[in-house]
Amino acid sequence: MSDNEEVEQAPSGPVENAWAMKIPEFTEKDNPTGMLEESKFATLFPKYREKYIREVWPLVTAKMSEFKLKCELDVIEGSMTVMTTRKCWDPYIIVKARDMIKLMARSVPFEQACRVLDDDFGSDVIKIGNLVQNRDRFIKRRQRLIGPNGSTLKSIELLTKCYVLVQGNTVSCLGPYQGLKQARKIVIDTMNNVHPIYNIKSLMIKRELMKDPKLKNENWERFLPKFEHKNLSKRKQPLKKREKKNYTPFPPAQPLSKVDKELETGEYFLKETERRAKKSAEKREKQEGAETKRHDKREKSFKPPNENKKVDADAASNDVDVTKLKEKVKKAQQKKKRL
């Protein structure tokens, strides 16, 4: 009877916000018979995680037993295995358990990894190792994602409501499904040389705009920051650029042979002695031209430069003022007498 009431209460028309819908909880009563077949998943973990996993493994087995799952730890092979039992009632919990051991292998602590088993939470392991070819550039962009003292990573966690861990060539995310979608976009954009501050700003603006009911049906693009690539390509350009010629289906003309060139100039019909005399004359002309150039170059340093002499106007004029000259002579004589 209660199931029929729930069906009647469910909305029949289109849903405005699917994320706001509450997913009904799947309980043991929904599947009392359990599972017929056994499902099994295994994942490898690195050597440095062995100590931590050994310490936490009793907690992992206790958590799995709540959902009627079995788990095994193989230290020699370095693998973790989860499997269903006949008593297991949730068909999807084995996929969640697989995600949990994957996260633990990627250095996510047990306290965070066990949250994946909840219905509202999911996980995403983003591979970033193959997004950037240059190793130094990859390290810089990965550090940009973390930020100074992990401030950028913390702001991403607060905005997306996800736990984010950067480890080696992967980024492990854990949280609500909508937050995982946003976290993946930020990570991939950062590795593609888009600073995470742009996405963080846009998420903050969107959060504020969601509070205003007037802007519900309006376009928000005018409020969001726009990223533009400012840095130009730093690839070394060649000194001589070859210009592509227009394509023609016909092959190029065959170059002239030595005999053809001689026929054109008329050398072919000359005698051997005449040909030698012509060559020697051409050689002599070249030598004479080179010698004159060398001589001019040597003589250049001995040639005086052109000096523009300034001629005073007073010196050029031959007219002498006699009265002024007499006065100067008188003054000079008077000075002598005083002395």
Side-chain angles (χ1 to χ4, degrees):
M1 189 71 184
S2 61
D3 293 343
N4 294 333
E5 285 174 6
E6 284 178 11
V7 171
E8 286 171 9
Q9 286 174 3
S12 58
V15 181
E16 286 186 8
N17 188 9
W19 296 106
M21 284 179 70
K22 194 176 181 182
I23 300 163
E25 196 176 343
F26 192 84
T27 58
E28 200 169 346
K29 292 175 184 178
D30 296 319
N31 187 14
T33 55
M35 310 290 283
L36 295 172
E37 293 291 331
E38 185 190 85
S39 298
K40 192 177 183 180
F41 288 105
T43 186
L44 299 170
F45 60 87
K47 187 75 176 172
Y48 62 85
R49 289 292 289 167
E50 186 184 322
K51 188 184 176 183
Y52 177 79
I53 290 166
R54 271 186 167 180
E55 288 172 2
V56 178
W57 197 250
L59 298 169
V60 176
T61 51
K63 191 72 180 174
M64 294 295 177
S65 61
E66 289 177 19
F67 300 95
K68 305 291 189 287
L69 293 171
K70 280 200 297 182
C71 56
E72 291 175 1
L73 176 65
D74 190 350
V75 183
I76 297 161
E77 195 183 333
S79 67
M80 293 181 280
T81 314
V82 285
M83 60 194 84
T84 56
T85 58
R86 286 289 180 91
K87 291 179 181 179
C88 182
W89 42 268
D90 191 349
Y92 193 70
I93 198 69
I94 187 67
V95 179
K96 293 265 190 183
R98 179 203 64 185
D99 292 344
M100 180 182 162
I101 59 170
K102 267 189 182 179
L103 289 169
M104 285 179 69
R106 294 309 309 147
S107 298
V108 177
F110 167 74
E111 291 77 14
Q112 294 290 342
C114 65
R115 289 166 63 202
V116 190
L117 300 171
D118 297 339
D119 288 339
D120 298 331
F121 283 83
S123 68
D124 191 6
V125 179
I126 306 156
K127 291 178 182 178
I128 56 171
N130 57 352
L131 294 175
V132 184
Q133 299 298 322
N134 192 345
R135 186 68 187 169
D136 296 334
R137 201 175 291 162
F138 167 74
I139 291 160
K140 281 180 184 176
R141 289 182 189 177
R142 188 179 62 181
Q143 188 58 39
R144 197 185 292 170
L145 185 66
I146 298 161
N149 300 321
S151 58
T152 310
L153 202 66
K154 190 70 182 171
S155 59
I156 292 165
E157 285 180 355
L158 289 167
L159 288 164
T160 58
K161 296 176 184 176
C162 292
Y163 174 80
V164 184
L165 179 77
V166 180
Q167 176 71 19
N169 291 336
T170 58
V171 178
S172 305
C173 304
L174 162 71
Y177 292 100
Q178 196 174 13
L180 290 173
K181 190 180 168 186
Q182 292 165 351
R184 175 173 269 273
K185 186 183 181 296
I186 293 167
V187 170
I188 289 166
D189 282 355
T190 306
M191 298 315 288
N192 290 331
N193 203 21
V194 178
H195 203 280
I197 197 70
Y198 287 96
N199 286 311
I200 289 165
K201 270 186 181 179
S202 62
L203 283 174
M204 287 169 76
I205 292 161
K206 280 177 186 177
R207 184 185 271 189
E208 292 299 318
L209 291 169
M210 281 168 74
K211 293 173 185 177
D212 193 354
K214 292 177 184 177
L215 299 166
K216 191 178 181 182
N217 298 319
E218 285 190 26
N219 191 7
W220 291 353
E221 278 187 15
R222 56 199 170 104
F223 301 110
L224 302 175
K226 289 177 183 177
F227 175 75
E228 292 177 2
H229 283 280
K230 288 181 181 178
N231 58 334
L232 299 168
S233 176
K234 291 175 184 175
R235 188 175 69 85
K236 286 183 180 179
Q237 300 292 333
L239 290 169
K240 292 179 181 178
K241 290 184 179 179
R242 289 182 182 178
E243 291 182 2
K244 283 188 177 180
K245 295 175 182 178
N246 294 327
Y247 173 75
T248 52
F250 307 105
Q254 198 171 3
L256 294 169
S257 64
K258 194 176 179 182
V259 177
D260 292 335
K261 286 174 184 176
E262 285 178 358
L263 284 166
E264 276 186 358
T265 53
E267 278 183 53
Y268 186 79
F269 304 104
L270 294 172
K271 291 178 182 178
E272 190 67 32
T273 51
E274 289 173 347
R275 207 177 290 168
R276 281 177 189 169
K278 193 180 179 183
K279 277 185 182 178
S280 60
E282 285 174 1
K283 199 174 183 181
R284 215 176 297 116
E285 277 178 17
K286 275 186 183 178
Q287 284 175 351
E288 283 173 5
E291 202 170 328
T292 50
K293 279 182 183 177
R294 263 188 262 119
H295 186 265
D296 291 342
K297 199 176 182 180
R298 281 198 216 100
E299 292 293 321
K300 197 178 180 181
S301 58
F302 298 106
K303 284 179 183 177
N306 293 326
E307 293 178 0
N308 297 325
K309 292 181 180 180
K310 292 181 181 179
V311 181
D312 295 333
D314 298 336
S317 61
N318 295 323
D319 299 330
V320 180
D321 196 351
V322 180
T323 53
K324 283 184 179 180
L325 190 65
K326 283 179 179 179
E327 284 176 6
K328 277 184 182 180
V329 171
K330 279 181 183 179
K331 282 180 183 179
Q333 285 174 354
Q334 285 174 2
K335 278 182 183 179
K336 279 182 181 179
K337 283 177 184 178
R338 284 172 192 171
L339 293 167

